Amino acid sequence: MTSKQPKTAKPAAEARRVCVIGAGYVGLPTAGVLSTRGHDVVLAERDERRLNMLLAGEMPIFEPGLDVLLAEGRAAGRLRYMPSAAEAVQGCEFVFLCVPTPQGDDGAADLSYVESAAAEIGPFLEPGTIVINKSTVPVGTVNLVERTIGRSDIAVVSNPEFLREGTAVTDSLHPDRIVVGSTDVRAATAVAELFGSTGAAMVITDPTTAETIKYASNAFLATKISFINAMAALCEAVGADVRDLVLGLGFDKRIGFEFLRPGPGWGGSCFPKDTSALVHIGMEHGYDFGLLRGAIACNDEQIERMVHKLEVAAGGSLDGKTIGIWGLTFKADTDDRRNSPATAITAKVVERGATVRAYDPTVSANDANSPDLAGVEIVADPVEAARGAAVIGLLTEWQEFRWVDFDAVAALMAAPSIVDARNLLDPEAIRRQGFTYVGVGRT
Ligand code: UDX
């Protein structure tokens, strides 16, 4: 998919030589934005398939605007791709670590990629290079990277990333704030200057605080969503309307409207992993983060709540029924299904004996072997997902679901029924087309 031209970033005061390690959801926009700011960027990616796609001008992930951003950098000769991190860092003044930090078995972040990248580049760094942790990492990782590199002429700095998938390019070009954590003021200032005049607030602090800020942001936002999901459940119980409730809340500037959309629960590569990791960090340091444990438990309940809605809409049991699923990614405008509430709900529906026909614009029949889609038939359009279905579960807020031919959908269902886990559709309009409609937090 090709997307619109991103607004070119304001150049930084001085062009610097920058290396970004890891061409993932964080590394790619970071490399793109730094190159449009006028820096000379080399992106190291050791996965051959990913690297070859980039070299061919193709995108290894779906992220709106990323293709144009990277093409700009390539056309200006300011963005190169290389397989070897050890080679890529040579001659660079700044090295961003943007490697994955998946969740380990005990809930703690798995730092093996960070450690191996630091060990690999250590001997090849130029004296005075600043190494920057952009991956979300537990408190103390700046020290771990320092120890792994083992050189007193290298500064290690924390610079957490706050971009969201789906809006990664805009978020990187126009951040709300830039957080830099370092005990070395020279290094912190140099990293802050790399981003040029974004107009973003700058928070320069110590590494531990910077690392904690990232977890705190994600934990706060996840808690905010869990709060509104809990309020939605309460609205259903008392007969209130969560949409009007959000209006009543959001106009209070202290609360605001952001992250108050009720839904099937929060997912993705960050919130589930980072909330568990923060609970774990607390435990390791003698603090039981009960509030956050509650937000996580509330999120697990939300998934079960959506399964229950489908069950009720299907006549009290899922066993032997066909269920149509619209949307499998963890949110719209991404192809990412990591910790997706949509696939978690779908798996439970399959577990309870239903046949599932699912449609998602980023998933094709070739993906059907993926473990998270076990037992799910992938179809090519939303209408097809409705064939013989007792109910449709709309689980991801892809805008195209607003414009489906609902007459064609209804014609394929014995008793047209939809559970809209994202409150995407207009209940009145859908009901007029003969559907039974169930949303979240509204009757
Ligand atoms: C998040 C943070 O927002 C970002 O700052 C951080 O760098 C990475 O983690 P991301 O996971 O890409 O970004 O998506 P986000 O838009 O935050 O959504 C996270 C989850 O919350 C999704 O499952 C989304 O559907 C859900 N969500 C979000 C809601 O259910 N309601 C909302 O109001 C907002």
Side-chain angles (χ1 to χ4, degrees), residues 21-227:
I21 300 178
Y25 287 94
V26 171
L28 285 166
T30 301
V33 165
L34 288 169
S35 69
T36 59
R37 292 203 185 284
H39 302 300
D40 183 14
V41 181
V42 51
L43 176 59
E45 172 55 56
R46 66 178 183 190
D47 180 282
E48 207 180 313
R49 192 189 65 90
R50 240 165 217 251
L51 181 72
N52 286 338
M53 286 183 83
L54 287 169
L55 288 167
E58 293 164 23
M59 291 302 106
I61 56 171
F62 169 60
E63 183 61 51
L66 185 63
D67 48 356
V68 180
L69 185 75
L70 298 183
E72 262 180 25
R74 297 283 282 166
R78 285 195 295 261
L79 179 59
R80 289 174 298 138
Y81 303 127
M82 286 178 102
S84 155
E87 250 176 79
V89 297
Q90 292 173 34
C92 286
E93 304 159 274
F94 299 87
V95 176
F96 284 85
L97 296 178
C98 299
V99 296
T101 50
Q103 189 173 328
D105 294 337
D106 56 355
D110 171 359
L111 292 177
S112 51
Y113 293 100
V114 173
E115 266 188 281
S116 70
E120 182 186 347
I121 61 173
F124 301 98
L125 296 167
E126 306 289 332
T129 296
I130 301 172
V131 175
I132 303 127
N133 269 351
K134 238 194 192 321
S135 310
T136 301
V137 288
V139 173
T141 307
V142 161
N143 295 341
L144 174 80
V145 172
E146 268 167 2
R147 281 199 307 279
T148 310
I149 291 175
R151 287 174 48 176
S152 58
D153 59 343
I154 302 296
V156 182
V157 166
S158 165
N159 169 225
E161 179 51 62
F162 300 103
L163 63 80
R164 289 162 298 176
E165 289 177 26
T167 51
V169 172
T170 319
D171 289 351
S172 312
L173 287 170
H174 309 287
D176 290 335
R177 79 299 208 184
I178 293 168
V179 175
V180 185
S182 176
T183 44
D184 176 340
V185 178
R186 177 200 66 91
T189 313
V191 172
E193 280 172 358
L194 266 188
F195 294 95
S197 48
T198 57
M202 198 68 75
V203 179
I204 296 185
T205 180
D206 60 89
T208 304
T209 306
E211 288 163 342
T212 310
I213 286 170
K214 171 68 197 219
Y215 282 109
S217 303
N218 281 351
F220 182 80
L221 292 169
T223 304
K224 200 171 176 190
I225 301 167
S226 279
F227 175 81

Side-chain angles (χ1 to χ4, degrees), residues 419-441:
V419 169
D420 179 2
R422 297 284 183 169
N423 287 347
L424 183 76
L425 306 174
D426 174 359
E428 292 315 311
I430 289 293
R431 286 186 183 125
R432 271 201 303 276
Q433 281 176 285
F435 281 77
T436 304
Y437 175 91
V438 174
V440 181

Side-chain angles (χ1 to χ4, degrees), residues 280-326:
H280 192 269
I281 290 167
M283 240 133 60
E284 274 185 344
H285 293 80
Y287 177 66
D288 177 9
F289 207 146
L291 173 67
L292 194 52
R293 281 195 291 103
I296 295 170
C298 178
N299 201 50
D300 295 339
E301 276 168 29
Q302 194 67 4
I303 302 240
E304 197 49 55
R305 199 174 279 282
M306 296 304 125
V307 177
H308 182 66
K309 280 178 190 280
L310 288 168
E311 207 158 42
V312 172
S317 163
L318 291 164
D319 196 20
K321 306 280 169 53
T322 296
I323 307 297
I325 295 291
W326 287 358

